[in-house]
């Protein structure tokens, strides 16, 4: 008996390892589709059956309603494999919600119990069995119900498509013949992004101040986790990580403090940033002050930039903006005219010419 079992096992190994690459059975097409939602990768592997002249006989006939006995395997209540041949799988790199229901990160077999009024979508923790022949409801990770939608045009080859994308969601639509079965995937973008930052900052990427700035900046831009962002910006400006003489690092800390309502501390951080900024970084900060209607502060920064970098277009025209913000159009006109021969390109030439005309008419150019 042992020899027989050994022989059978050897035959199986030789047979399976000797299989060559060929097209799928039944003339179906193997496919993979994926998309990133936020920072979450969603990947679907499936086989694409064709209608092949069976119009009107797919839904309710080829794909029977509910659960069926397929005459093979260990279940008499099998759902549809949501494709052909091997079972369809769907993988999520982070936790998600499907139609509002939570589903942990992982790879799942995807089945559908079809019903013309309401389909049941099944995400099974058993993603390796062939088709749905061995489907076991005890292995379900999630079930959700969705309504199928009639399609205007027939789709010959079954396909999955991502639609309705937003920064934190997308709808996956199974399309075949004249039916669409859609389901919405959503991610908690702030939670997944912050978790990713924390993990990556503990790797070799965290040895550079730029990575800490990137994480803190994301929090500022999305107005989330600001206390954590402040800790990250503190790390960025520390001596150990090399950002103690970086304009960007100190400016980021200032932005975080400003978001937290700590204006005086934000101003102090920007004072530390300014000596390390180049003429363009300092100019942009002064423009931000203008937008905040802090005209005296903006002028002081424009003047410092001009004194440190005289004879440049950006600093000369910046000083014109500074004087204009104070309402001193005569001085603003003087520096705008001085900037005219320094213009680097056609777009800025138009801006300067328009500014000069506005100043001559006694109008602010900001």
């Amino acid at each position: 008996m042992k020899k027989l079992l050994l022989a059978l096992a050897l035959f199986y190994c030789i047979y399976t390892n000797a299989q060559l690459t060929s097209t799928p059975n039944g003339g179906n097409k193997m496919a993979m589709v994926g998309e990133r939602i936020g920072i979450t990768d969603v990947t679907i592997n499936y086989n694409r059956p064709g209608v092949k002249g069976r119009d009107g006989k797919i839904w309710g006939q080829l794909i029977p309603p509910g659960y069926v006995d397929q005459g093979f395997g260990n279940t008499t209540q099998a759902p549809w494999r949501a494709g052909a041949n091997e079972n369809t799988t769907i993988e999520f790199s982070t936790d998600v919600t499907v139609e509002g229901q939570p589903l942990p990160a992982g790879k799942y077999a995807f089945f559908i119990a079809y019903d013309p009024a309401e389909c049941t979508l099944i995400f099974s923790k058993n993603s390796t069995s062939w088709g749905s022949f061995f489907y076991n409801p005890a292995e379900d990770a999630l079930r959700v119900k969705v309504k199928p939608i009639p399609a205007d045009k027939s789709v010959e080859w079954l396909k999955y498509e991502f639609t309705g994308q937003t920064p934190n969601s997308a709808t996956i639509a199974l399309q075949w013949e004249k039916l669409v079965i859609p389901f919405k995937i959503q991610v908690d973008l702030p939670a997944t992004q912050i978790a990713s930052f924390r993990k990556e900052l503990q790797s070799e990427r965290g040895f550079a101040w730029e990575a800490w700035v990137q994480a803190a900046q994301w929090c500022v831009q999305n107005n989330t986790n600001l206390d954590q962002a402040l800790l990250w910006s503190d790390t960025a400006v520390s001596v150990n990580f090399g950002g103690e003489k970086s304009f960007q690092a100190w400016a980021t800390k200032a932005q975080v403090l400003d978001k937290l309502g700590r204006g005086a501390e934000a101003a102090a951080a920007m004072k530390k940033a300014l000596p390390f900024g180049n003429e363009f970084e300092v100019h942009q900060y002064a423009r931000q002050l203008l937008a905040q209607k802090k005209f005296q502060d903006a002028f002081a920064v424009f003047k410092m930039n001009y004194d440190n970098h005289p004879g440049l277009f950006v600093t000369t025209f910046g000083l014109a903006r500074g004087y204009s913000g104070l309402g001193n159009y005569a001085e603003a006109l003087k520096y705008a005219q001085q900037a005219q021969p320094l213009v680097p390109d056609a777009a800025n030439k138009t801006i300067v010419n328009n500014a000069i005309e506005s100043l001559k008419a006694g109008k602010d150019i900001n």
Side-chain angles (χ1 to χ4, degrees):
M1 178 60 74
K2 284 186 176 180
K3 289 183 178 180
L4 177 61
L5 291 174
L6 183 60
L8 289 172
L10 181 61
F11 172 79
Y12 175 78
C13 289
I14 293 174
Y15 178 76
T16 54
N17 289 329
Q19 294 297 294
L20 301 178
T21 302
S22 63
T23 57
N25 291 332
N28 302 312
K29 299 177 181 291
M30 296 185 71
M32 178 181 71
V33 64
E35 191 155 304
R36 178 166 286 188
I37 304 173
I39 62 167
T40 301
D41 291 324
V42 182
T43 307
I44 305 171
N45 284 276
Y46 65 107
N47 274 257
R48 304 178 65 189
V51 176
K52 300 177 183 177
R54 297 172 291 186
D55 302 79
K57 298 178 181 179
I58 299 294
W59 302 103
Q61 295 186 44
L62 181 66
I63 309 301
Y67 305 83
V68 298
D69 184 353
Q70 300 180 97
F72 183 79
N74 59 3
T75 180
T76 59
Q77 295 290 308
W80 176 45
R81 70 192 76 182
N85 299 344
E86 299 99 326
N87 62 350
T88 297
T89 63
I90 183 167
E91 187 170 5
F92 306 100
S93 63
T94 73
D95 296 350
V96 299
T97 63
V98 182
E99 291 294 314
Q101 300 300 311
L103 184 63
K107 185 176 183 178
Y108 300 93
F110 181 56
F111 303 119
I112 297 177
Y114 167 71
D115 185 279
E118 189 174 56
C119 296
T120 300
L121 311 187
I122 302 168
F123 298 83
S124 171
K125 288 177 279 190
N126 181 353
S127 64
T128 58
S129 293
W130 180 276
S132 57
F133 295 119
F134 303 94
Y135 170 70
N136 184 349
E139 296 172 328
D140 290 357
L142 177 67
R143 285 188 177 202
V144 296
K145 293 183 180 295
V146 298
K147 294 185 181 299
I149 302 170
D152 295 332
K153 296 181 179 179
S154 184
V155 175
E156 174 65 24
W157 296 97
L158 181 148
K159 66 178 180 178
Y160 288 85
E161 186 173 331
F162 288 78
T163 65
Q165 292 89 340
T166 74
N168 69 333
S169 69
T171 295
I172 298 175
L174 183 157
Q175 304 172 41
W176 194 26
E177 202 224 14
K178 289 190 176 181
L179 197 71
V180 178
I181 301 176
F183 55 100
K184 185 176 183 179
I185 306 297
Q186 194 163 4
V187 300
D188 185 341
L189 181 54
T192 55
Q193 183 65 82
I194 295 301
S196 177
F197 283 150
R198 285 174 175 152
K199 183 178 180 181
E200 289 187 282
L201 288 171
Q202 293 176 16
S203 71
E204 70 280 0
R205 298 180 185 182
F207 286 100
W209 63 265
E210 290 90 346
W212 300 87
V213 164
Q214 181 185 354
Q217 276 285 351
W218 190 90
C219 294
V220 169
Q221 291 162 9
N222 291 274
N223 197 29
T224 186
N225 292 78
L226 293 175
D227 289 329
Q228 177 67 78
L230 183 57
L231 294 175
W232 286 338
S233 64
D234 282 338
T235 302
V237 299
S238 69
V239 175
N240 292 336
F241 290 84
E244 77 278 9
K245 293 184 178 181
S246 163
F247 174 88
Q248 189 179 2
W250 281 106
T252 297
K253 181 172 181 176
Q255 289 177 308
V256 176
L257 288 166
D258 188 61
K259 279 277 188 178
L260 288 167
R262 294 157 64 173
E265 293 174 79
M270 277 310 304
K271 284 185 179 179
K272 291 183 178 180
L274 287 173
F276 307 122
N278 61 40
E279 62 271 25
F280 299 103
E281 291 171 328
V282 174
H283 177 82
Q284 287 304 317
Y285 173 59
R287 293 288 301 271
Q288 291 173 22
L289 292 173
L290 282 178
Q292 297 166 9
K293 301 188 183 305
K294 297 178 180 178
F295 301 117
Q296 195 65 52
D297 292 338
F299 175 78
V301 175
F302 280 128
K303 183 67 166 61
M304 180 199 74
N305 204 24
Y306 177 81
D307 291 341
N308 290 337
H309 304 282
L312 300 180
F313 167 73
V314 67
T315 57
T316 304
F317 191 59
L319 192 54
R321 288 190 179 278
Y323 276 115
S324 181
L326 295 178
N328 190 339
Y329 300 136
E331 283 296 298
L333 177 59
K334 182 177 84 173
Y335 284 98
Q337 289 171 332
Q338 288 181 21
Q340 203 168 26
L342 303 173
V343 171
D345 52 53
N348 276 296
K349 183 177 182 179
T350 300
I351 291 172
V352 173
N353 290 340
N354 291 339
I356 288 173
E357 293 304 313
S358 293
L359 292 168
K360 286 179 177 179
K363 297 178 181 178
D364 185 19
I365 61 174
N366 296 304

